[in-house]
Amino acid sequence: MKNLTLGYKKEEILKNVDFKVKEGEFIGIIGPSGAGKSTLLMSVTGGIKVFDGKFEVLDFDLNNIKKKNLVKLREQVGVIFQGYNLVDRISVLDNVISGMLKEIPLTRAIIKLYKKKELKKAKEYMDIVDITKHSMKRCDELSGGQRQRVAIARALAAEPKIILADEPVSALDPKSAKKVMEILRKVNKTYGVTVIANLHHLEYAKEYCDRIVGVNDGQVVFDDKSELLTEKLVEKIYTNN
Ligand SMILES: Nc1ncnc2c1ncn2[C@@H]1O[C@H](COP(=O)(O)OP(=O)(O)OP(=O)(O)O)[C@@H](O)[C@H]1O
Ligand SMILES: [Mg+2]
């Protein structure tokens, strides 16, 4: 993002933002409620209106992207929400396999056609998030932490270049939250997937992310290595205007 201003309808939400992400980074975005963190994150999938400035993601120019390329971009970007967005009535394994499908013909019959190769891959992803022993359970039988881990495995199944995680651990207890953060780090380091996560817990951002970006009132007010985030800077990031 270079000098980027974007938003909804006529309202500018991000203003003059400069933000560059290197391949393979693990970035935490922090800032007060309403600052524009989710807008910043989700804009990476190309759905938010650009008013001014330059915006490139992977090889795509988001200033004027064609629909066909938007689909291609979205195939390379995995998204994980606080609400998990899994299909409850099918198994963990079927959810993970569905991540490999480009379109989503989510019927068991179609998923069952999937071959040994896909099953092996699915197992690899389930192993990474430590959910293999629950692979045949329906997703509505899992705990919140387990569900979030399935969501990560499903995102991985699409072999994304980027994973966007919007408050992936906000609804979890500390132990489950740490486990999910550790898995995101493992995914980042093992597969080199770039991870950008909105986090409400500063301590997780500091512990797990390489770099922290502080957003306040639609502007980037901090952007540096995690260890350089001092108490004073945190206060500045969370100041209400
Ligand atoms: N779909 C939308 N249409 C119009 N305005 C929106 C939309 N989504 C968000 N906004 C506005 O954009 C601003 C930033 O919202 P955003 O969700 O990006 O904040 P946030 O930093 O993620 O906050 P939180 O920490 O509460 O999740 C808010 O003023 C919000 O009302
Ligand atoms: Mg948000």
Side-chain angles (χ1 to χ4, degrees), residues 36-171:
K37 302 182 297 297
S38 296
T39 303
L40 176 67
L41 198 71
M42 294 318 298
S43 69
V44 173
T45 62
I48 299 175
K49 196 168 161 189
V50 174
F51 294 122
D52 201 11
K54 265 193 158 176
F55 194 4
E56 283 171 21
V57 180
L58 301 171
D59 292 327
F60 302 97
D61 176 357
L62 293 197
N63 291 68
N64 42 38
I65 188 166
K66 299 233 164 65
K67 211 170 173 192
K68 201 175 96 197
N69 282 338
L70 203 56
V71 173
K72 277 194 192 156
L73 166 67
R74 287 175 182 172
E75 280 170 9
Q76 298 178 64
V77 182
V79 182
I80 297 161
F81 298 101
Q82 191 183 335
Y84 322 116
N85 58 315
L86 300 172
V87 182
D88 279 341
R89 67 199 148 75
I90 62 174
S91 71
V92 167
L93 175 65
D94 288 344
N95 266 280
V96 174
I97 293 216
S98 77
M100 297 175 193
L101 310 178
K102 293 257 187 264
E103 285 131 41
I104 312 183
L106 260 183
T107 68
R108 288 199 63 106
I110 289 173
I111 288 169
K112 277 202 185 319
L113 289 176
Y114 272 70
K115 315 248 163 46
K116 254 193 169 155
K117 196 177 102 212
E118 278 84 10
L119 286 175
K120 203 173 147 219
K121 277 269 171 205
K123 181 166 184 309
E124 180 188 335
Y125 301 132
M126 289 191 297
D127 283 346
I128 249 209
V129 304
D130 189 22
I131 203 76
T132 312
K133 62 176 178 284
H134 300 298
S135 63
M136 299 320 285
K137 276 192 185 168
R138 279 169 55 129
C139 283
D140 53 10
E141 294 168 346
L142 303 178
S143 72
Q146 290 166 342
R147 291 168 67 81
Q148 196 56 295
R149 277 149 48 206
V150 178
I152 295 171
R154 188 175 66 172
L156 272 180
E159 301 186 339
K161 292 203 169 122
I162 304 171
I163 287 183
L164 307 172
D166 199 354
E167 297 188 32
V169 298
S170 295

Side-chain angles (χ1 to χ4, degrees), residues 7-9 11-14 29-41 48 82 166-167 198 200 215 218:
Y8 308 99
K9 291 182 189 139
E11 194 184 2
E12 294 180 354
I13 304 294
L14 297 186
I29 298 175
I30 61 169
S33 188
K37 302 182 297 297
S38 296
T39 303
L40 176 67
L41 198 71
I48 299 175
Q82 191 183 335
D166 199 354
E167 297 188 32
N198 282 347
H200 266 301
V215 180

